[in-house]
Amino acid sequence: MSDAAQGGAPGAAQSPIPPERDPHAPERNAPPSFDGIRELDANPPRLWTYMYLLCFGAAVWLFVAYPAIPWLTSDARTGVFQWSSRAELGRAVQHAEETAPDVAVRFARASLEQAEADPAMRAYAIAGGHAAWGNNCAPCHGQDGRGTANYPNLRDRDWLWGGTPEAIRHTLQVGIRWPGEESTRSSQMPAFGRLRSLERPQVLDLVEFVRSLSGQEHNAAGAARAEPVFAENCASCHGARGEGNQEVGGPRLNDDAWLYGGTREAIYDTIWNSRSGVMPAFGQRLPEDTIRKLVLYVRSFGGGE
């Protein structure tokens, strides 16, 4: 049969064959086939439908049972079970206090000196302080408390602010030069060279004098020239003979414990530019009980006074 007989002009394109449709699929607004790729709707598996319905029902139940919506009435906030997280926390705290071991109760009521003198309480505090030490203190002071570069060694008896239990507790509580803590420990050594309070020859002589205080090799002539300079500018914080002053956090200079190093280069840098180390105020992040345990843990290193 000719093209004309079939109702079309010779060479004309044939009408496209309607795309195949899935008789069980819902009708779509667009053809289910494009460029030879079929796209058909199908109902999801029944298991998925049941899971969706189950989750929806659970969400509605939780909304009714534990709504906790702040702008609703008190009854609506607590739900049909009258439950609240605050009340649950209070019950948990009360339960913990009622079931706390005897040593924990005694430790909470004892002073730091009494707790340290009691073997059971001391062991209890050290065990609890060990975990807090690893999370908060070890990165700077080392796992063994011997300190790292520019961070204090807590195993010696060289304490800037004192090594008594109460002094350590206060330092942990308020930190050192910690922003946002009004009561933080604070001492500031002037940058004598950078601020041009002293000339470079005077700073060089002071280096020799400081080394003489700790018994290190030094230039005697330079140390002699620096003695009156030290008395005028440094003795008020470090003591006339470098014995230090814990009232103001002035480091001791007449021993072999150096926070930033005792070489000529390190001492020169300290005098010229000053130092201003920072320690966090752990009272802002740790409970008092944990701080008290940390105090006895630190003193267990053997460096307390």
Side-chain angles (χ1 to χ4, degrees), residues 178 193 256:
W178 188 247
D256 60 353

Side-chain angles (χ1 to χ4, degrees), residues 95-251:
H95 176 74
E97 292 176 349
E98 292 173 352
T99 60
D102 177 66
V103 65
V105 175
R106 291 193 296 116
F107 178 76
R109 296 173 179 172
S111 68
L112 287 169
E113 290 76 9
Q114 291 171 335
E116 190 172 38
D118 184 285
M121 284 193 288
R122 183 174 181 272
Y124 166 77
I126 291 174
H130 177 74
W133 172 269
N135 291 333
N136 298 279
C137 314
C140 293
H141 296 285
Q143 286 289 351
D144 59 357
R146 296 187 185 278
T148 56
N150 302 336
Y151 296 99
N153 177 3
L154 303 181
R155 287 185 171 270
D156 58 22
R157 294 183 176 273
D158 197 71
W159 294 87
L160 287 178
W161 302 95
T164 64
E166 183 54 35
I168 297 174
R169 188 205 67 80
H170 187 63
T171 300
L172 287 168
Q173 190 82 30
V174 303
I176 298 174
R177 305 182 191 90
W178 188 247
E181 174 56 60
E182 295 182 359
S183 302
T184 189
R185 303 272 203 192
S186 182
S187 64
Q188 184 60 55
M189 173 179 168
F192 289 105
R194 181 161 48 82
L195 298 177
R196 300 305 181 197
S197 300
L198 298 175
E199 298 300 323
R200 186 170 184 275
Q202 293 177 299
V203 174
L204 291 172
D205 286 345
L206 271 175
V207 171
E208 300 304 318
F209 182 81
V210 170
R211 286 176 61 87
S212 73
L213 292 176
S214 57
Q216 297 187 82
E217 179 273 325
H218 62 280
N219 180 289
R225 289 193 298 269
E227 187 168 2
V229 179
F230 182 91
E232 181 178 352
N233 295 276
C234 314
S236 59
C237 293
H238 296 286
R241 301 307 304 170
E243 65 272 17
N245 184 349
Q246 292 180 351
E247 292 295 324
V248 297

